Amino acid sequence: MKTNFWRRGVAAVAALAAVAVATTACTRPATTAATTAGDLVRISVGVDPSYAPIFLADREGMFEAAGLDVQVIQTEGGAAGAQNVVAGMSELSGNANSTALTVMAGNPGLRALGVYEESDRYFQVVLRDGVTPDSIKTMGVFPGIGLYFTDRYLRSLGLDPAGVNLVTTSPPEQPALLARGDIDGFISFDPWVTQAVDSGSHVAGTTGDFGAKYSQWLIASDSWLSTHEELAGRVFRVIAQAADIVDADPDRAAKAVAEAIQMDPAEVRNQVTQIDFRGRDFTPDDIEQARQLVDFFRAQGKIPGDIDPQEVLLSGWFDQNTQ
């Protein structure tokens, strides 16, 4: 069980900490190509509860009931899923927005079809006992989205991030560093938040308190999508239906995820209740958030080349193809 625990931790770090990370619609025209009932759709996922709708739909036979031939492929998370789509090893992938944008920057043929989960409370600010926000001197930071959230948090306090010692860490290391006094705080997710609190630290807020959140998108290649749009819409419709179930019945979701990735159901339930699961279209807010991520990581030298979120996020696609 310890091996699985650390495997999940590393996968979650990869998925959510991958480095790099107007309202004009970018809707694709409806395709006229017919889809074949036997078309296989492979979906790449990581091994953590953020993929709960896909695990639930797979374990409960929802794809099959909809007449779909779907294979769920577990990866180590992070960029691996989107890279599988680039390599033709899967047709779809679930990816955190920061990770998706990173891979898209180097692979302009990738497209994001819509959102299936998001949260402004999954990532939490943890401070060592006796430390207050205005007394922070050192923060433990994992690369990618962790750095972005830490930068946003410090600026929200009126602190210059350049004046705070940012120690590069991985989430599994952070609770011990905090307990030893090597860092004053960190921004991360469970189980690392709970471990730190159990050791005497405290939660000082969530990313929502300073106007930040993350989301996960369903990714496809433009070339595959051009001839399988109807099929992609049917698959995403099932994922959206499963997302509604996860949101309404976390115990049911916990059972499905626990069976899929050998994780304690109570731990799964705790994490899925920190996330809002719902299939939906992109909004102007999503486009703006993506633009802020691109600008931040470009300034950090983490995104090669240029990427226009308004081109790669297919606004209007979800509503057009999943109804």
Side-chain angles (χ1 to χ4, degrees):
M1 183 62 70
K2 183 177 180 180
T3 299
N4 286 334
F5 177 83
W6 278 90
R7 174 170 169 263
R8 290 194 305 274
V10 171
V13 171
L16 293 169
V19 175
V21 121
T23 64
T24 300
C26 203
T27 308
R28 294 172 49 88
T31 181
T32 57
T35 55
T36 304
D39 280 338
L40 171 65
V41 179
R42 297 163 296 181
I43 308 175
S44 288
V45 300
V47 284
D48 66 78
S50 63
Y51 301 92
I54 299 171
F55 288 131
L56 177 71
D58 185 45
R59 303 294 289 189
E60 295 196 358
M62 294 176 65
F63 292 121
E64 185 178 3
L68 297 165
D69 185 8
V70 170
Q71 178 185 359
V72 176
I73 301 174
Q74 294 186 15
T75 74
E76 68 268 25
Q83 289 169 345
N84 273 359
V85 174
V86 173
M89 298 172 62
S90 66
E91 287 66 48
L92 299 171
S93 174
N95 287 96
N97 52 356
S98 56
T99 307
L101 289 166
T102 302
V103 182
M104 286 172 162
N107 298 276
L110 291 179
R111 297 291 181 267
L113 310 184
V115 178
Y116 68 88
E117 63 111 308
E118 61 191 326
S119 180
D120 63 359
R121 61 189 184 282
Y122 186 57
F123 285 85
Q124 301 175 63
V125 180
V126 183
L127 299 180
R128 185 162 40 84
D129 187 36
V131 173
T132 60
D134 58 358
S135 66
I136 293 173
K137 302 298 182 184
T138 303
M139 289 285 286
V141 180
F142 63 83
I145 197 70
L147 177 61
Y148 173 74
F149 283 152
T150 302
D151 184 271
R152 289 282 302 268
Y153 174 61
L154 294 174
R155 292 182 188 279
S156 75
L157 299 175
L159 299 175
D160 182 356
V164 176
N165 183 23
L166 303 181
V167 179
T168 300
T169 68
S170 67
E173 299 173 312
Q174 291 172 336
L177 292 174
L178 198 63
R180 290 203 306 263
D182 294 340
I183 58 177
D184 294 328
F186 63 79
I187 298 176
S188 192
F189 47 93
D190 271 327
W192 322 116
V193 169
T194 297
Q195 284 189 11
V197 170
D198 288 345
S199 297
S201 297
H202 64 279
V203 173
T206 69
T207 57
D209 294 330
F210 51 95
K213 64 179 180 179
Y214 92 103
S215 58
Q216 290 212 163
W217 305 339
L218 194 66
I219 307 298
S221 70
D222 189 59
S223 58
W224 178 81
L225 197 61
S226 66
T227 56
H228 296 84
E229 196 142 39
E230 187 266 346
L231 178 59
R234 290 169 58 202
V235 173
F236 205 163
R237 180 164 60 244
V238 173
I239 293 174
Q241 291 168 348
D244 289 341
I245 294 172
V246 174
D247 209 52
D249 193 344
D251 289 318
R252 182 173 167 183
K255 180 179 179 181
V257 174
E259 291 177 356
I261 62 175
Q262 291 77 57
M263 185 175 176
D264 176 54
E267 187 179 342
V268 175
R269 190 187 191 288
N270 176 56
Q271 293 189 34
V272 298
T273 56
Q274 296 173 355
I275 302 172
D276 298 317
F277 292 92
R278 179 171 68 92
R280 65 169 179 82
D281 213 335
F282 291 115
T283 67
D285 181 63
D286 294 309
I287 303 293
E288 177 57 29
Q289 182 187 26
R291 201 179 303 281
Q292 290 174 8
L293 283 166
V294 169
D295 290 345
F296 178 79
F297 287 115
R298 184 183 291 119
Q300 296 287 321
K302 305 301 183 181
I303 288 185
D306 198 11
I307 178 174
D308 184 355
Q310 211 161 314
E311 291 184 3
V312 296
L313 275 65
L314 300 185
S315 298
W317 189 95
F318 179 88
D319 288 344
Q320 180 178 338
N321 291 279
T322 65
Q323 304 308 311

